[in-house]
Amino acid sequence: MTLITSNKELSDLCLELAKSDVVTVDTEFLRDQTYWPKLCLVQLADANNFAAIDVLAPDIDLTPLFDLMKNPDVLKVFHSARQDLEIFCLLMNEVPAPLFDTQLAAMVCGFGDSIGYDNLARKLLNVEIDKSARFADWSKRPLTPKQISYAISDVTHLRDIYAKLRSQIDKSGREHWLAEEMAILEDPETYRQDPDTAWLRLKTRSNDRRYLAILKELGAWREREAQRRNTPRSRVVKDEQLYDIASNRPTNAKELSKTRGVSVDMADGRLGKEILAAVKVAMDLPKDACPKPKERHIPNNGLAAIIDLLRVLLKQCCDEFDVAQKLIANSSDLEKIAADDNANVRALSGWRREVFGDKALRLKKGLIALSIKDGKLVVEDLD
């Protein structure tokens, strides 16, 4: 077990890894107490080397690590890469490249939706991964031998997992399937936290455009405040408080203080003034400038039956092609396809249309039928 704590060790390791075609990567981080993830450890491995980098070691310079992440000649392999890549994007201001995500590759190869690393290691390598240190506090030092062993195990088997998945994808000719998913991970915009779109994560079913305008302004204010303080959003103001403020539309500190969880001191202070300012901005907007309600598809009885049939067809198509349903379509996509043959969903374009989309439209037109033969569901052409 190797724990890198000095700049020379890190430089030597990264120079050695730069000679490899493939390097597996994982991170350990914390973010329950902060807005931005706090990186604590980076694990790296190739065919001959494995190590964990203590990024919290005094005076550690991560430049050699970032250079490795940017090296175009070294493929960086992650499992469930999104949060790891977000961290690197924040630190490097770009996404590591080139990339390969074994979780996405496993979905393309039919291992189900969002399969975990330990399950994938068990299925592909017949290896049991010890996950007992999963919930350790990775910011505390010194790290125990058990923690280091656990952390490094996340990359030592990853290379063999990658090799098996790479072989399956090459044989199946599905490289372009995976490439579409990887393009999303490789786009820096995937990791940008735009305050002006923060309200879209809030769960509301209101059709009141003024209410939505207030919620948008409040959401943007809270996002900026959470970023500035590097604290979780809920520690600034909870979602439920935003909903209450957007509904009651306070115009002064006294009215704002009636919101549950908002004290008189808070209402009279800086935060209260900023909340009231956000509400006023939204109230002053022309109605046609207020956000439109999120598009919702409420199926009637006829559409509900079509959606049910599309769901069955989706499962059958995914079983036939041995690919995860999540990659093809979700419930919202099926609702949109049921309502509109030209719905703007990924299932009706590219390779997804070949696997499912065309059959979905033919099913709607009565050109194919679903039936059971010998205890198995089959799709039959009727034209």
Side-chain angles (χ1 to χ4, degrees):
M1 295 183 296
T2 304
L3 182 64
I4 302 296
T5 59
S6 74
N7 289 327
K8 185 179 187 310
E9 291 172 329
L10 177 57
S11 179
D12 290 346
L13 172 68
C14 291
L15 285 174
E16 191 65 27
L17 292 176
K19 301 174 185 177
S20 302
D21 294 331
V22 176
V23 170
T24 52
V25 190
D26 190 34
T27 69
E28 305 299 340
F29 59 90
L30 299 175
R31 72 181 314 164
D32 56 330
Q33 303 293 323
T34 60
Y35 180 92
W36 306 108
K38 179 181 180 180
L39 182 62
C40 301
L41 202 69
V42 176
Q43 305 94 273
L44 303 171
D46 65 3
N48 304 305
N49 306 278
F50 57 87
I53 303 167
D54 183 359
V55 301
L56 301 182
D59 302 318
I60 194 80
D61 180 0
L62 298 180
T63 300
L65 172 63
F66 298 154
D67 289 342
L68 179 66
M69 292 298 104
K70 300 174 187 178
N71 190 327
D73 299 321
V74 179
L75 178 69
K76 274 68 70 173
V77 177
F78 296 79
H79 182 83
S80 188
R82 192 178 186 112
Q83 293 192 79
D84 301 312
L85 296 176
E86 177 189 6
I87 293 171
F88 280 114
C89 190
L90 287 169
L91 295 174
M92 297 165 34
N93 203 31
E94 61 182 282
V95 182
L99 293 172
F100 188 98
D101 187 332
T102 54
Q103 187 177 76
L104 288 176
M107 292 168 70
V108 168
C109 293
F111 284 91
D113 295 346
S114 305
I115 186 170
Y117 175 68
D118 49 343
N119 287 333
L120 196 55
R122 186 181 305 115
K123 290 185 176 182
L124 285 178
L125 307 179
N126 197 28
V127 168
E128 291 293 333
I129 304 294
D130 180 9
K131 305 298 286 186
S132 59
R134 177 182 299 181
F135 301 110
D137 184 344
W138 295 97
S139 67
K140 290 184 177 179
R141 296 295 183 271
L143 296 170
T144 66
K146 184 176 182 179
Q147 283 180 285
I148 300 169
S149 177
Y150 160 83
I152 290 179
S153 72
D154 277 350
V155 289
T156 50
H157 298 298
L158 191 54
R159 186 181 180 91
D160 292 334
I161 291 174
Y162 159 74
K164 287 184 176 292
L165 291 173
R166 178 82 269 175
S167 177
Q168 288 189 34
I169 289 173
D170 291 344
K171 288 178 181 177
S172 65
R174 296 180 178 181
E175 296 91 341
H176 63 295
W177 292 22
L178 182 60
E180 286 189 29
E181 301 305 311
M182 291 304 305
I184 298 172
L185 289 181
E186 292 166 353
D187 184 357
E189 289 301 316
T190 300
Y191 312 101
R192 304 245 191 264
Q193 302 290 345
D194 182 2
D196 290 330
T197 61
W199 74 284
L200 295 173
R201 290 190 295 269
L202 297 169
K203 297 177 181 178
T204 177
R205 291 183 172 272
S206 175
N207 292 320
D208 183 338
R209 295 183 67 176
R210 187 65 61 188
Y211 171 92
L212 295 177
I214 298 171
L215 206 58
K216 180 179 179 180
E217 291 296 327
L218 290 173
W221 164 79
R222 182 179 69 169
E223 200 76 7
R224 294 188 183 96
E225 181 66 14
Q227 290 177 357
R228 186 187 68 79
R229 288 160 49 180
N230 192 24
T231 194
R233 300 177 186 92
S234 62
R235 294 195 178 182
V236 178
V237 176
K238 291 180 171 58
D239 290 355
E240 293 74 15
Q241 292 171 304
L242 295 185
Y243 303 145
D244 196 10
I245 295 167
S247 295
N248 295 325
R249 306 174 187 183
T251 59
N252 55 57
K254 183 177 181 180
E255 292 176 356
L256 178 60
S257 67
K258 294 178 182 179
T259 303
R260 179 183 295 181
V262 176
S263 66
V264 173
D265 286 344
M266 177 179 172
D268 284 331
R270 177 181 66 84
L271 294 185
K273 290 181 173 62
E274 292 178 359
I275 289 172
L276 292 171
V279 173
K280 186 176 188 309
V281 168
M283 292 299 293
D284 289 343
L285 281 175
K287 185 175 181 180
D288 59 3
C290 294
K292 294 181 180 179
K294 299 175 186 177
E295 185 178 5
R296 287 189 291 157
H297 295 271
I298 304 176
N300 56 38
N301 290 338
L303 281 183
I306 296 173
I307 293 167
D308 287 341
L309 285 175
L310 289 174
R311 188 171 287 112
V312 173
L313 177 65
L314 175 63
K315 184 180 187 309
Q316 197 279 339
C317 290
C318 290
D319 288 346
E320 177 187 350
F321 283 88
D322 201 18
V323 63
Q325 295 182 44
K326 183 178 179 179
L327 275 183
I328 306 294
N330 57 31
S331 295
S332 177
D333 295 333
L334 297 182
E335 292 174 5
K336 291 174 182 178
I337 294 171
D340 183 2
D341 288 357
N342 298 307
N344 183 24
V345 295
R346 294 199 300 171
L348 295 183
S349 65
W351 65 269
R352 293 173 179 81
R353 182 163 186 137
E354 298 173 18
V355 172
F356 170 71
D358 281 334
K359 289 188 180 73
L361 297 180
R362 285 172 60 78
L363 178 65
K364 285 183 61 181
K365 295 175 182 176
L367 299 177
I368 61 174
L370 303 176
S371 62
I372 297 176
K373 289 187 178 180
D374 300 324
K376 294 183 179 180
L377 180 71
V378 295
V379 178
E380 295 182 292
D381 286 314
L382 300 179
D383 60 346

